[in-house]
Amino acid sequence: MPTDTAPDKQAVKDYLLGLQDRICAELETEDGGARFIQDQWQREQGGGGRSRVLTEGNAIEKGGVNFSHVFGDQMPASATAHRPELAGRSFEAMGVSLVIHPNNPYAPTSHANVRFFIAEKPGAEPVWWFGGGYDLTPYYGNDNDCRHWHRTAKEALDPHGDNLYPFFKKWCDDYFFLKHRDEPRGVGGLFFDDFNELGFERSFAVMRAVGDSYLPAYRPILARRKDTEYGERERNFQLYRRGRYVEFNLVYDRGTLFGLQTGGRTESILMSLPPLVRWDYDWQPEPGSAEAALTEHYLQARDWIE
């Protein structure tokens, strides 16, 4: 592991708290109606956080932006499953995680998170890494939105290495995939984990690039789509497709499993779930319809920039 400088946990925490503030302020402005309600909480085993939730807004049906900083004497199973050498170490984990579910079916759901883990043991070098990313889940896709989303991600990462965007994009495509449905959750974006290969300062800069580019990637899309006219058909399809979002978060999502296994606050962990959702048995879209285009055109691993 690179050891250019020792990890600065306070610098990471300060950045994350500021990021939460900035994202909430801009999304409130874009919504133009509701405001985030803050819920500060403490974790009995160590640490705590502040959850912010906006509901029934003009543009946002439910949005959650959560900061957490938790620590403990033992790494949870979700963290040691792919890093068994970390078993028995104490840990600290901090991050910002958010999900925005708009009212309008033509406005996509978005998810983002950035996080930092450090595992320590007396007499040994600390083991640390960054992770995070963001992804977009449309219901009625738009090519321009997809290109903007991915172009913003690429432009954010290119100064840190021209290999990062294609690497993180493929990782996102592979990670946000519902194996039991044999389909991706959305049109992808960025995903990375266990990232420390550039040393602390440069790896931290990569994490900041991801966190800082979320609003430029998502807010213009929400602004363009939030007032599009729609009817009952589009709303029902949105609720049906939200079911896929719930399935992924409860079955596969590593962050959800980590939070639950570390005794985290359940309300904050599950704030990512949409307020309304439906499952229809063996429903199939009409051939050639806008609903069919979602799986046939948009939910495909592809190069959106080219």
Side-chain angles (χ1 to χ4, degrees):
M1 179 192 303
T3 55
D4 59 336
T5 58
D8 187 341
K9 292 183 284 187
Q10 189 61 48
V12 177
K13 184 173 183 177
D14 291 343
Y15 168 77
L16 293 170
L17 289 168
L19 179 66
Q20 184 191 34
D21 289 341
R22 286 187 282 127
I23 289 174
C24 289
E26 287 208 29
L27 290 177
E28 283 182 347
T29 300
E30 190 61 51
D31 183 84
R35 299 183 65 85
F36 282 94
I37 296 172
Q38 177 166 294
D39 186 10
Q40 197 134 357
W41 51 273
Q42 297 294 318
R43 176 174 171 270
E44 185 176 340
Q45 299 92 329
R50 57 187 197 188
S51 299
R52 293 178 180 172
V53 179
L54 182 155
T55 58
E56 299 180 357
N58 293 335
I60 299 171
E61 187 172 3
K62 180 186 178 186
V65 184
N66 188 43
F67 166 80
S68 63
H69 177 200
V70 301
F71 43 88
D73 295 331
Q74 296 287 331
M75 294 281 286
S78 63
T80 59
H82 63 298
R83 298 284 294 272
E85 74 276 12
L86 299 181
R89 285 179 174 248
S90 63
F91 76 93
E92 287 188 56
M94 62 184 79
V96 167
S97 181
L98 68 95
V99 177
I100 305 300
H101 294 287
N103 288 303
N104 197 305
Y106 288 96
T109 286
S110 71
H111 158 259
N113 77 85
V114 284
R115 56 188 181 270
F116 175 69
F117 288 85
I118 184 166
E120 298 176 281
K121 183 170 65 174
E125 286 288 319
V127 178
W128 56 267
W129 63 87
F130 292 97
Y134 46 68
D135 63 289
L136 195 69
T137 306
Y139 308 99
Y140 292 91
N142 181 282
D143 284 16
N144 288 333
D145 291 350
C146 296
R147 284 192 287 267
H148 167 79
W149 179 258
H150 281 275
R151 189 179 299 114
T152 304
K154 184 177 186 300
E155 290 173 354
L157 287 178
D158 277 353
H160 305 277
D162 56 13
N163 64 316
L164 290 181
Y165 169 74
F167 182 46
F168 290 178
K169 178 192 180 298
K170 184 181 186 306
W171 203 342
C172 186
D173 290 340
D174 293 342
Y175 180 75
F176 289 106
F177 191 86
L178 286 83
K179 300 177 183 66
H180 63 285
R181 297 284 190 180
D182 193 29
E183 67 180 39
R185 187 171 82 172
V187 298
L190 305 171
F191 181 84
F192 68 105
D193 205 359
D194 302 325
F195 188 80
N196 58 19
E197 60 201 63
L198 300 179
F200 176 76
E201 292 296 339
R202 292 175 61 201
S203 298
F204 184 21
V206 169
M207 188 265 266
R208 294 197 306 271
V210 173
D212 293 344
S213 61
Y214 166 74
L215 283 168
Y218 184 61
R219 186 175 175 182
I221 297 173
L222 180 60
R224 286 194 294 267
R225 308 300 162 204
K226 65 183 181 181
D227 295 322
T228 304
E229 290 187 12
Y230 68 91
E232 185 177 359
R233 171 176 172 163
E234 291 91 344
R235 176 62 167 169
N236 286 338
F237 184 62
Q238 178 195 43
L239 298 184
Y240 170 72
R241 289 300 309 182
R242 279 178 175 178
R244 300 289 204 269
Y245 206 91
V246 173
E247 289 174 23
F248 182 88
N249 277 28
L250 295 183
V251 175
Y252 299 113
D253 188 73
R254 194 184 293 179
T256 300
L257 297 176
F258 176 86
L260 295 175
Q261 290 176 0
T262 55
R265 186 170 182 270
T266 302
E267 286 297 307
S268 299
I269 296 165
L270 300 183
M271 73 175 186
S272 62
L273 301 182
L276 296 173
V277 65
R278 61 185 291 167
W279 280 268
D280 295 321
Y281 180 75
D282 199 27
W283 182 86
Q284 301 294 329
E286 295 178 16
S289 66
E291 291 79 14
L294 178 65
T295 50
E296 294 172 0
H297 178 67
Y298 290 98
L299 300 188
Q300 303 289 334
R302 55 188 290 185
D303 185 345
W304 283 104
I305 295 175
E306 295 297 328

